[in-house]
Amino acid sequence: MTIAVVVFPGTNCEHDIVHALDLAGADSELVWHTETDLAWALGVVLPGGFAHGDYVRTGAIARFSPVMAEVERLAASGIPILGICNGFQILCEAGILPGALVANRDLKFICKPVYLRVESTDSILTSAATIGQVLKIPLNSYEGQFVADDIDAIEDADEVILRYCDPDGEIREHSNPNGSTNAIAGITNAARNVAGLMPHPERASETILGSNDGMVMIESFVESVRRVRV
Amino acid sequence: MTATQQPDHIQLGMTDDEYHRVIEILGRVPLAAELAMYSVMWSEHCSYKSSRTHLGKFRSDQPWVVVGPGENAGVVDLGDGWLAALRIESHNHPSFVEPYQGAATGVGGILRDIFTMGARPVAVWDPLRFGPLEDPRNRYLFEGVVSGIAGYGNAVGVPTLGGEVEFADCFSQNPLVNVMALGLLKREQLVLSAASGVGNKAILLGNATGRDGIGGASILASASFEAGDEEKRPNVQIGDPFEEKKLIEACLELYDRGLVVAIQDLGAAGISCATSEVAGNGGLGMDVDLERVHVREHDMTPGEILMSESQERMLAIVTPHNETEVLDLAAKWEIQASVIGTVTEGPQLKVYAKGELVADVPAASLADDAPKYDRPVQRPTYLDEVWADQPIPPPDGDVTDALRQLLDDPAIGDRSWISNQYDHMLFLNTVIEPGHNASLMRIKGTSKGLAVSTDGDAHRTWLDPRRASERIVFEAALNVAVTGAAPYAVVNNLNFGSPENPEVMWQFVESVEGMASACEKLDLPVVGGNVSFYNQTDGVDIYPTPVVGMLGFCDPMPQFPPRLDRAQDGMAIWLVGDPCQGDFAGSAYDRIINQKLRGRPMEADGATARNIIALATELAPTTAVLHDISTGGFAVALTEIAIKSDLGITVDGLSTAELLDETPLRFLAITHRAHLDTGVHHQRIGTMGGSTIDFGAAGSISISEARAVWANAIPRRMH
């Protein structure tokens, strides 16, 4: 079972997600963005960072990297694909996930732990969690505000998997750090094999780092990769 | 006389004597490009001509020092083949002219110093100083600098683990933007900057050379400011963190594959500095062809190409055999590369442009023959008056009004407005994040940990540069000790006014001697530093502001190091260290409540410092909270613990004066233990519990109220 971790020029969280995947007992391999054949991969992660410097717009150049056609093909074939932070932005920009990420409400970069409430367990990222579970996970982004033209369709299809909340699980105005529509922090696609989120589960992979709440997501993802039949 | 009528060397910031020295070295009048090179290399910023005489007072001969001052970064041994590289730099003037780019390129520059050594940069800290935030221009500078650090640091993929901030009027026209960086490497990856091997190639890697930053070192960094200096904006470099990220990865791969003989980053004075240093350090020469340099603009003069401070560039020395492989590797990482020179027997650095020799100078002379001044010193006249006016300790009574005012101070209140804009978690090493005494990071895959604290105290240093400089070394050491790390190495950034003012020079010498003596008392090597003079605008010098970057090391690292948020109900609060001695000179109480800066701060005793620091390191693995008592005394230290732990505090028997006193070398220990076996003076002063910060006869305040004031100190001023 091998997971491809895609590295664009400017990606910087690739070693961190590899570390978390290691902790979950999964093999992974770094893949340069010029790669065009990922037929061997049973799962793909697009990690955080600043692909191509985030120039023009987050993900705007990365979506044209050679590797993305292959990511799109694997997504269509049902392989689990996870986008974290910049990876989420790239998946949205590529149209693999709906919506877009725009600048935070307060126009400032935000790096701090936030609380997330699990809204749906029907996704590659939340299958091992329980609905209503509250997870403490670091956020680290400038363009983290989720917006979508047809937010109702996303909600109606139960594609919202994570929302920003208070430590007690309540969703309040002040618990939404970046102004995301409906406090959305993570979503899945209709086929439920692609997931993206702005916070970084790999940064909450060990108690010594302040939280290991992210491991339930990493383990969900690894489990979904294990279930892939080739 | 306007600038355009002055002789070339004066316009370039050189004195007549220095100009004649160049003529002496060359045996002729310098060509335009040569004059440009000497002017920058002999600038205060590059040559340390006013400070070198005194910097020898810092010792670095401890056995764990691998590389001392003089290279791009200091390097210390962490055992098991691991080394740490550290350095501190200032980008004060550029940040005043253009705060975002000035701060951003400060980060970029210091990272190159770290990976030039073969190390992967793993963390950055930013000690900052601004004028009061009540002034909109200061808010603009503060906001711009913080977002510049965040914008560059986050995108380049190196976490910013903290720093510190102070505010004072004297920084309104001259903010201080210092940056410290830390890198990690294995011993076999260490690379130095001395060229070897005649016939080896010099390859310029990274960004194209443009007109940005020309004369930055001589014009911005080595002269005082006057009104209207925003016109110097074209001298500020523009940063591109994406280019730097690729450059870091490419260089680290070059080292891994053993493809470079030597490497040097391009900083101040660009190509002229890098080529002369790398050749001069190796006792060799170099032929450089400027036609081969990849440039951004095509009508640049040779002088401009040589002096350009365009960012994100490195000069690698490579054997001819490896040349193609290096160029291929650069192409893979999508960075530009040009073979611009060849190492020669020397000693001349010969620079050609369009086939014409535009510079022919002894490579080593640019660095080695730089002028060195023993500037006159004079004890400042203000000191007698200031020392005679000792502050009066606060009378008994309610301390909470004073506490509210202190918590509302932007240098004491919550600084997460700053640190939440910095990615401080990348690489999964951050064990103690910004907002504690020091940041603590693990070295993944080992049992080792590194702690860093940056400390300066501009107000006290103005009152007594020697004593304050000693105290900031001790305080920084105590800050890393309370995380469980033993103080291990020091870098310092010495921010001062004009060295041509004998009173400033006196402050400088006192400060250097104080710092050197404190380091010696703790057996700490000074492995690098930076001097920033001419922090003076319209004739007003800043407070002398030496800043210490303290590296602490522990092996094993405590698995549950003390944190301010680990206090629990029923734990005892211990004061460890001397009882209060009434040290109010330069204290937050006197500055903020009384609006005075006066008196002479206490001297901190070296033997006490050793004991207290060793004790803190020893207690750390088994103690829930350890907290250095500094700005704002007990009152502030206890309140910070209450806020972070969300738990009340009951303290008894401390007077208002004792609660606000800033006697150095003391810390709070919070633990379930009923006895402390310390060997130094300690006393139980209270207990954790409830939801109120209760100072007994000195009054009480609820945690929620204290938190509201503390949390809003910066935001309420920025909105």
Side-chain angles (χ1 to χ4, degrees), chain A:
Chain A
M1 176 203 58
T2 300
I3 296 164
V5 174
V6 178
V7 182
F8 300 90
T11 296
N12 60 31
C13 297
E14 69 272 27
H15 299 293
D16 296 358
I17 186 66
V18 165
H19 179 77
L21 290 169
D22 278 351
L23 293 176
D27 296 331
S28 59
E29 202 167 301
L30 297 179
V31 172
W32 189 236
H33 74 121
T34 52
E35 194 61 58
T36 51
D37 179 7
L38 297 182
W40 50 270
L42 302 183
V44 178
V45 181
L46 304 189
F50 293 75
H52 298 279
D54 274 355
Y55 290 137
V56 183
R57 186 172 65 242
T58 58
I61 301 173
R63 66 164 298 198
F64 294 111
S65 271
V67 75
M68 285 307 291
E70 185 69 349
V71 171
E72 212 161 326
R73 188 184 70 76
L74 293 177
S77 75
I79 294 285
I81 313 274
L82 169 60
I84 302 170
C85 195
N86 195 221
F88 181 24
Q89 294 164 339
I90 295 167
L91 290 174
C92 290
E93 185 71 30
I96 299 173
L97 284 175
L101 284 311
V102 299
N104 296 336
R105 180 188 48 214
D106 295 343
L107 300 181
K108 288 210 166 20
F109 195 95
I110 300 172
C111 177
K112 66 174 184 185
V114 295
Y115 293 91
L116 306 178
R117 189 174 79 189
V118 177
E119 299 291 287
S120 167
T121 55
D122 185 10
S123 85
I124 56 159
L125 192 63
T126 51
S127 56
T130 51
I131 288 187
Q133 189 173 353
V134 176
L135 305 170
K136 184 185 175 190
I137 311 283
L139 184 66
N140 186 66
S141 46
Y142 184 86
E143 289 94 351
Q145 180 178 185
F146 183 78
V147 294
D149 284 339
D150 197 354
I151 199 77
D152 293 339
I154 297 172
E155 292 281 2
D156 293 346
D158 191 31
E159 288 171 16
V160 177
I161 55 176
L162 297 161
R163 279 186 226 275
Y164 300 106
C165 66
D166 269 359
D168 61 6
E170 285 302 309
I171 290 160
R172 300 186 178 95
E173 177 69 26
H174 68 254
S175 58
N176 183 343
N178 48 28
S180 289
T181 307
N182 296 356
I184 292 170
I187 57 169
T188 184
N189 62 342
R192 312 200 86 87
N193 68 313
V194 180
L197 79 170
M198 284 314 296
H200 287 258
E202 79 280 11
R203 293 187 177 196
S205 54
E206 293 177 71
T207 48
I208 197 162
L209 303 175
S211 167
N212 64 354
D213 288 358
M215 284 310 287
V216 70
M217 294 194 227
I218 303 293
E219 281 158 7
S220 298
F221 176 67
V222 169
E223 187 49 38
S224 70
V225 172
R226 285 208 174 95
R227 282 200 301 264
V228 171
R229 293 277 169 265
V230 279

Side-chain angles (χ1 to χ4, degrees), chain B residues 494-522:
Chain B
L494 308 172
N495 307 280
F496 286 80
S498 167
E500 295 162 43
N501 174 349
E503 295 195 347
V504 169
M505 223 34 226
W506 182 88
Q507 293 170 329
F508 178 79
V509 175
E510 285 285 298
S511 177
V512 165
E513 290 179 2
M515 199 176 278
S517 127
C519 289
E520 238 174 275
K521 285 168 187 163
L522 299 181

Side-chain angles (χ1 to χ4, degrees), chain B residues 21-75:
Chain B
R21 187 87 192 280
V22 174
I23 293 175
E24 221 173 274
I25 290 170
L26 298 180
R28 58 180 165 78
V29 170
L31 303 170
E34 291 170 337
L35 185 62
M37 290 163 73
Y38 279 100
S39 75
V40 179
M41 290 297 291
W42 288 9
S43 68
E44 188 66 56
H45 181 78
C46 293
S47 73
Y48 293 79
K49 56 191 170 192
S50 303
S51 57
R52 286 213 312 279
T53 309
H54 303 283
L55 298 178
K57 293 165 185 166
F58 293 123
R59 287 183 52 187
S60 61
D61 51 358
Q62 283 76 357
W64 58 93
V65 176
V66 179
V67 178
E71 272 284 347
N72 289 288
V75 178

